[in-house]
Amino acid sequence: MISSNSAALTPLILLFMAISIPLVALKKKQIAFFMVMIATSISVIISFYNIFRVLKVGTIHYHFGGWIPPIGIEYVLDPLSSFICLVINVIALLVLIHSKKIVEMESKIKSVPYYALVLLMLCGFNGIILTGDLFNLYVFLEICSLSMYGLISVGEKQAPVSAFRYLIIGAVGSSFYLLGVGFLYMTTGSLNMIDVRSIVPHLYNEPTIIVAISLMVIGFGIKMAVFPFHGWLPDAYTYAPTTSSALIAPTGTKIGAYAMIRILFFVFGVNYISKTLHITDVLAWLSAIGIVYGSIMAISQKEMKRMLAYSSVSQIGYIGLGIGLCNPMGLIGAVLHVMNHAIMKACLFLVAGNYRVKLGHSNIFKLSDNIRKKMPWTTAAFTVGALSMVGIPPTVGFFSKWYLVLGTIKNSSWVFLAVLLISSLLNAIYFFRVLEKVYLKPIRSTNLEELNIPENNKRDEVSSSALIPVLILAIAIIVLGLLNTIIVKGIIDKMIPAGM
Amino acid sequence: MERKKDNPIVSLVSRTVSPFIMLFALYVIFHGHYSPGGGFQGGTMLAAAFILIRLSLGMEISQLQFKSRWATPLGSAGVLIYFGTGLVALLFGGNFLDYGFIPFSKVVAENRSIGILCIEIGVAIAVMAIIVSIYDDLLEGSSDD
Amino acid sequence: MIDFFLGYYGYWFAILLMCLGLYGAIMKKNLIKKLIGIAIFQTSIIIFFVASSSKWGATVPIFDEKIGVANTAKYINPLPHTLMLTAIVVGVATMGVAFALVISIFQKYKTLDESVLLKRMKKDNDI
């Protein structure tokens, strides 16, 4: 029974646990965290099982309610969806192990509704990744978006205003996608992705199809935060609580990128969107501008979380550029960067969270000089993450940029190559600034005797439940970098759509 | 403008009309699959019946009809009824939400009808609880006048 | 030319509502008016879908003995109506979350006007 239903089990188990938490945790509030751990662990195990099954058997289809598509809704497990499902579930598990300490510490967060919203958001993510029906994607998109608005709004300072801005922009984005689905249904008469794929080639000159593609690209562009639509992202990531930013930043925008890949390459066809319509060219140019803009804005930030948020805008630009290049190397780079950026950003946001737990703030210029002695492991993890963001081998960050560079060389787009190289340099500037402050400044003190008192330099590291996920992510950055050929040849090579 | 404390006409009419609204809402829920209606529509009308009492008689008296702290657990219970129907279908061999496999009777069409009715009831309970809960949360801090 | 405007009047109405909704969401300064703009925008998409499902000379998709089951061309398409039920529920949920956020903003900053809100936010952030 598990093997025949395994395609749909991940969102269903997360949904079941999400709606049981308010009922079960009425009396004892500590049981909510325990249920979250059970739900995410089971999802990770099922995601691993799914990915091995897909590699052995091929694409798996699951029909809900027994109705055959195109009449019914189906879930599709192919290499792309099972890979991204695995990445998102594993990152969520590691961040939620870290979250126990944070949620206990912050007074504004009530743990029972917070964990229920977290599980609902993860259910929404899994649903978007696995579904093969266009309208079902809209429903799960709204589920995860509403949960994200709620998770961001319990932060500090201007968190409700940032969540409100994100709500207005996000509601417009989802509605644009729904309008695109409406146009597509009016001309093709079907809502199933594979069915539309077979009908669209007969309709290539209709203006309705062009409007449908434009609206869907704008809708997912807003969710993915490509350059002109990124306005909600810095405020939302900065003022959200630590667990929320560490959960949403690695995964939320990747869902938009996955949906963009699915709609552009698998529903409409590669030749149509790149040679007839040139939408991928527009996407590539906007992403290139976004890469440079994000890096420049990140250099001028004082607070670590805001710097990481602008850095996210820049990294999403890499993924957009990989999609926009529209050749196999570019797509491999984009999908590999989805995994790499998720691991790197989760590690960095958790490090910022650890600094907040111990020091009360994460302002770069106020970090005390002896933090390398007080929190050595955390700062080491930050160093590994920073080196990976710059792109130094053998960390993972280097390999995804390498594939993107190969993609730009194959297309002979030298402007994009220059953008990639310059942005690595800009990344180096703002990350090495933090490393210089932490590692290279000698410990100064007005009183010479204070330097020799051991208590001032004693280790004051965070507790192990907050430290172990950070270390696992940092080790994964190096290990997955060394193993990246296995990942690329094993699964990502199978994701290249027909016609590329 | 202060509301007068006792409004005999409003109080009497709303107390009389509210059960009939609930009855009509039940009619709409049960006739969902062959006339206009269904779970969401009936659930909204049930919520309207409760909100009518909250508006006309005040929050304290209306707690006797539907306590505010039942709202979130009742919403979860409604979604669990929906999920439970699908799970029963899963456990008895079919795909999720394949109502033909629910072990109610031997005729497959009757099983499908029962399955749809169960999920409509689940949806109605969930929608009613959540709409009443939204109303209660919007009025949480303000005084009852 | 007249046919282009009068034949598709449902769609023209939906487009007008979309423009009004987006104008309200972007240009108005009060937060509640922005939310009303978003609600109008979502409603206009619902009207667009429902208008796309209607046919000339066809009746409501409920079983009618005089027409029977066989000739389905005499009934209008019920699928966009069911999709729009889900979209209405999504709209209600979005408005619920939005109003909760507006109450939270009001309790913290004591204003609902965007220009005053920006000034108070800047003062609060600089402390």
Side-chain angles (χ1 to χ4, degrees), chain A residues 215-349:
Chain A
L215 285 170
M216 286 186 187
V217 166
I218 294 180
F220 283 122
I222 293 180
K223 288 294 172 184
M224 189 177 146
V226 292
F227 168 65
F229 311 123
H230 69 285
W232 55 270
L233 197 145
D235 278 341
Y237 286 4
T238 311
Y239 299 110
T242 306
T243 310
S244 301
S245 350
L247 259 181
I248 299 179
T251 54
T253 38
K254 310 301 175 300
I255 300 293
Y258 163 80
M260 193 89 89
I261 295 179
R262 185 64 83 187
I263 300 279
L264 283 181
F265 294 146
F266 288 89
V267 172
F268 285 108
V270 176
N271 287 326
Y272 181 52
I273 56 165
S274 68
K275 299 205 177 35
T276 321
L277 283 187
H278 299 288
I279 280 199
T280 41
D281 289 342
V282 173
L283 193 61
W285 277 104
L286 287 177
S287 305
I289 300 177
I291 295 176
V292 178
Y293 173 79
S295 305
I296 293 181
M297 289 297 284
I299 294 181
S300 66
Q301 299 303 324
K302 292 198 276 280
E303 219 249 322
M304 192 186 287
K305 278 174 78 168
R306 206 169 170 86
M307 177 186 91
L308 291 175
Y310 275 111
S311 154
S312 284
V313 174
S314 163
Q315 301 289 314
I316 297 292
Y318 284 133
I319 300 177
L321 185 61
I323 300 176
L325 285 175
C326 212
N327 60 11
M329 285 291 154
L331 189 63
I332 292 179
V335 175
L336 199 62
H337 202 65
V338 166
M339 180 182 84
N340 299 342
H341 181 233
I343 301 178
M344 297 189 292
K345 263 296 141 54
C347 180
L348 291 171
F349 267 106

Side-chain angles (χ1 to χ4, degrees), chain A residues 1 5 9 12 15-16 19-20 22-23 26 62-67, chain B residues 72-74 76-77 79-80 83 90-91 94-99 112:
Chain A
M1 192 188 72
N5 294 319
L9 273 183
L12 291 179
L15 179 65
F16 177 66
I19 53 186
S20 322
L23 281 177
L26 268 180
Y62 182 81
H63 305 151
F64 264 86
W67 299 103
Chain B
T72 308
L74 208 58
S76 298
V79 184
L80 276 176
F83 198 88
L90 193 78
L91 289 174
N95 283 341
F96 189 71
L97 288 179
D98 193 354
Y99 309 123
R112 288 194 192 268

Side-chain angles (χ1 to χ4, degrees), chain A residues 146-199:
Chain A
L146 288 175
S147 312
M148 272 198 259
Y149 308 147
L151 284 177
I152 291 178
S153 70
V154 282
E156 54 164 21
K157 287 195 214 164
Q158 62 176 73
V161 181
S162 323
F164 186 77
R165 277 200 190 129
Y166 183 20
L167 189 145
I168 301 276
I169 299 180
V172 171
S174 313
S175 306
F176 276 156
Y177 171 70
L178 182 62
L179 204 52
V181 168
F183 275 112
L184 204 56
Y185 177 69
M186 277 165 59
T187 35
T188 58
S190 164
L191 284 173
N192 190 359
M193 287 185 192
I194 301 179
D195 207 27
V196 171
R197 178 78 181 92
S198 60
I199 299 180

Side-chain angles (χ1 to χ4, degrees), chain A residues 164-165 168, chain C residues 19-40 112-118:
Chain A
F164 186 77
R165 277 200 190 129
I168 301 276
Chain C
C19 297
L20 284 177
L22 275 181
Y23 170 78
I26 297 175
M27 301 297 285
K28 290 287 176 187
K29 290 267 178 275
N30 193 340
L31 293 183
I32 303 281
K33 290 187 186 172
K34 283 183 196 280
L35 285 181
I36 295 179
I38 293 287
I40 294 179
L112 280 182
D113 186 87
E114 201 182 23
S115 31
V116 180
L117 185 65
L118 284 171

